[in-house]
Amino acid sequence: SFCLSLVADCPLLLVARFLGEMPCECQWGLSSLFIGAFVILAAGVFTFFPVFLGLFDYPWYIALCWLWFGIGVFFFVIGCLFEVMGCQKAGRWHNAKAREGDDDGAAAPTPYIMINA
């Protein structure tokens, strides 16, 4: 699929394959959403000082705030696209295994009945 070919060409994954398989089975979409939201909020906090308090009212400082806001939006949008397009492969933490259920064939344990003597 398109997503797998896009992810397969990622330079970070190529390095990970060179060093060995990644044991974490990362949730790229969800992680990108959280990282993006955190960076956007942090950029907003740093923007609060020049806008409302008049502190750090330098053009380069405001440009850095906009840069970090743009980085946060980038990660947030990539995370949204990754989740909406279903690019997350099934792994240990993926919901597909929860929907399958247990196919062990094991029956429920017999209920214990207490006998009064």
Side-chain angles (χ1 to χ4, degrees):
S1 93
F2 171 73
C3 294
L4 293 177
S5 65
L6 184 67
V7 173
D9 296 335
C10 178
L12 293 176
L13 290 178
L14 295 175
V15 171
R17 285 188 193 134
F18 177 74
L19 296 175
E21 290 297 318
M22 292 177 59
C24 67
E25 297 181 21
C26 299
Q27 296 285 324
W28 292 96
L30 193 58
S31 298
S32 295
L33 278 170
F34 286 136
I35 289 171
F38 179 77
V39 172
I40 289 170
L41 289 175
V45 168
F46 282 102
T47 303
F48 174 81
F49 295 107
V51 171
F52 294 106
L53 300 179
L55 300 172
F56 309 118
D57 197 13
Y58 306 113
W60 60 268
Y61 184 86
I62 295 170
L64 282 176
C65 290
W66 278 107
L67 174 73
W68 282 107
F69 176 76
I71 290 171
V73 168
F74 171 77
F75 274 105
F76 193 81
V77 168
I78 292 297
C80 286
L81 289 175
F82 211 88
E83 287 293 323
V84 168
M85 293 175 62
C87 294
Q88 182 68 41
K89 67 179 186 176
R92 179 175 31 185
W93 306 111
H94 200 262
N95 291 338
K97 284 192 175 183
R99 285 191 298 259
E100 290 174 7
D102 293 331
D103 292 334
D104 297 345
T110 306
Y112 180 76
I113 299 174
M114 181 179 264
I115 301 174
N116 295 330

